[in-house]
Amino acid sequence: MDEATEGGAVKRFLYVNRKAPYGTIYALESLEVVLIGAAFDQDVSLAFVGDGVYQLTKGQDTKALEVKNFSPTFRALDDYDINKIYVDADALRARGLTEADLVIPVEVVSTERMAQIMEGQDVILSF
Amino acid sequence: MLHTVNKSPFEHSALETCLRYARQGAAVLLIEDGVYAAARDTAVSKQVEEALKKVSIYALEADLAARGMRNRVIDGVRLVDYEGFVDLVVEHNAVQSWL
Amino acid sequence: MKLGILVNEGPYTHQASDTAYQFAKAALAKGHEIYRVFFYHDGVNNGTRLTVPPQDDRNIVKRWSELAAEHKLDLVLCIAAAQRRGLMDKNEAKRHGKDTDNLAAGFRISGLGQLIETGIQSDRLVVFGD
C-alpha cells in the first residue's frame, strides 16, 4: 500500500479500455468518465488492452461518420495530471502498431507488468 | 483480485485475456454467457483446466442451469449462487469485469 | 460492507441488468449496504417508466424501483448518457421543452461525478455490462 491509500482519502482508480472507438460508444463515454473523475484528485491510471489500443491511433478522421473524433482529447489528459497511461505491448504488436503510431506518449508494458498494475488498484472501471 | 467473465469463450477473447492477466491465487467467476467456458470436453476446456493450476475458477449456477450446462461442469470449477458471488466480491480486494 | 454497482447495459437486450439486480438483492439479503447503483451507457434505459413488458416476463424497471423503495437504494442515471438516449425527469423535460418526462420511481438523474464518488465511498465496485 502506498501512503496515499493508507490515509484513506485517495484511492487508486484504473480505467481499463478494451474496446475500439466508433463501432460502439464505450470508448467515448469511458473517456468522459476519466475527464470528470480528474476533478476528484484520485490516483488515476489508464490501461489500454486489446482493441482498446485503437482508441489511441494517429490519423483518425471521422468527418464522413458525422461523429466527433475524440482522439485529440487524450492529449489533454496531461493537463488534468493524468499521466499514468499504460499500453499492453502484446496488444500493440498483434495489431501491427508501435508507440510511434499513438497520439500521446504512453508506457508500453508487458502482460506481467500490466497484471501487477491491475492488482494494485482499489477501483477498476472497465468499459 | 476477483475477475468476472461474461462472454462465451468461443466467440470472444475475454476469458483468454482475463487468464493472461490473472495472477497466481486470483479468482475468476464465470457469469452469463461466460459459463460456457465451464463445460468439459470443449475446445477450451484444456485451457480452463490448465488455468485451474494458477487461479480458482467459479461459475454462477443460475447461468449454468439456464443454459443446460449444470451437469457438464469441469471438475475443479466451483459453483456459486448469487450470494456466493457477493461473498467472492467481499473476499477480494477489487473486482475486474472483463466485459 | 459497502458495495457500489455500475450497470452499463439496458434492460432485456443484455443480461447485465438482470445479473446486477440479482447481485444487489443477494448482497442486501446478506446484510451488506448498497452505496449506489449507477447506470451508464445504455444502462440509463433501465430507468424509463414507459416500458410495458409482456405479462409473463419480468418487469426489470419495476423490479429496480421496488428494490429501491424497500431498501432505500440510490439509483442514479448518468445525465449525459440519459440526455443522449431520451431519459428525462420532470425538470429536464421542462428545461428542454419536451412534452413528457419518463423517469421511473426510485431513480434520479445526476452527473458522472456520482460514479466516481461511488468508487471512492464503496468498499467494492462491481461493473455489469457487455
Side-chain angles (χ1 to χ4, degrees), chain A residues 45-124:
Chain A
S45 304
L46 268 63
F48 292 86
V49 179
D51 279 351
V53 302
Y54 283 132
Q55 294 179 30
L56 297 175
T57 52
K58 284 178 183 163
Q60 297 177 28
D61 177 356
T62 60
K63 276 191 210 77
L65 297 188
E66 298 183 9
V67 299
K68 194 169 83 180
N69 173 4
F70 59 91
S71 62
T73 310
F74 287 107
R75 291 194 208 111
L77 291 177
D78 199 42
D79 301 334
Y80 290 88
D81 286 328
I82 295 171
N83 37 42
K84 285 189 276 191
I85 300 173
Y86 305 102
V87 173
D88 185 275
D90 289 343
L92 279 181
R93 196 161 37 237
R95 288 161 183 77
L97 300 169
T98 68
E99 202 182 336
D101 296 309
L102 308 181
V103 291
I104 46 168
V106 299
E107 192 176 337
V108 177
V109 298
S110 67
T111 298
E112 179 51 31
R113 174 79 187 109
M114 190 69 100
Q116 265 174 16
I117 291 161
M118 289 174 177
E119 192 72 37
Q121 305 296 322
D122 299 308
V123 181
I124 301 169

Side-chain angles (χ1 to χ4, degrees), chain A residues 11 13 15 19 25-26 28-29 32-33 36-37 40 42 123-127, chain C residues 6 8-9 40-41 81 84-85 112-113 115-117 119-120 122 125 127 130:
Chain A
K11 281 194 174 181
F13 273 68
Y15 296 90
K19 293 188 169 112
I25 199 170
Y26 301 106
L28 169 63
E29 286 189 333
E32 288 180 352
V33 179
I36 296 285
F40 285 75
Q42 301 294 301
V123 181
I124 301 169
L125 285 160
S126 30
F127 293 105
Chain C
L6 172 61
N8 287 336
E9 295 299 327
Y40 195 43
H41 303 300
R84 276 192 180 114
R85 293 163 178 87
L112 264 178
L115 169 59
I116 307 299
E117 198 190 54
I120 295 170
S122 305
L125 178 69
V127 184
D130 188 16

Side-chain angles (χ1 to χ4, degrees), chain B residues 47-60:
Chain B
Q47 193 191 339
V48 172
E49 282 157 8
E50 193 57 34
L52 277 167
K53 294 175 189 164
K54 183 175 85 165
V55 298
S56 309
I57 301 182
Y58 300 83
L60 198 56

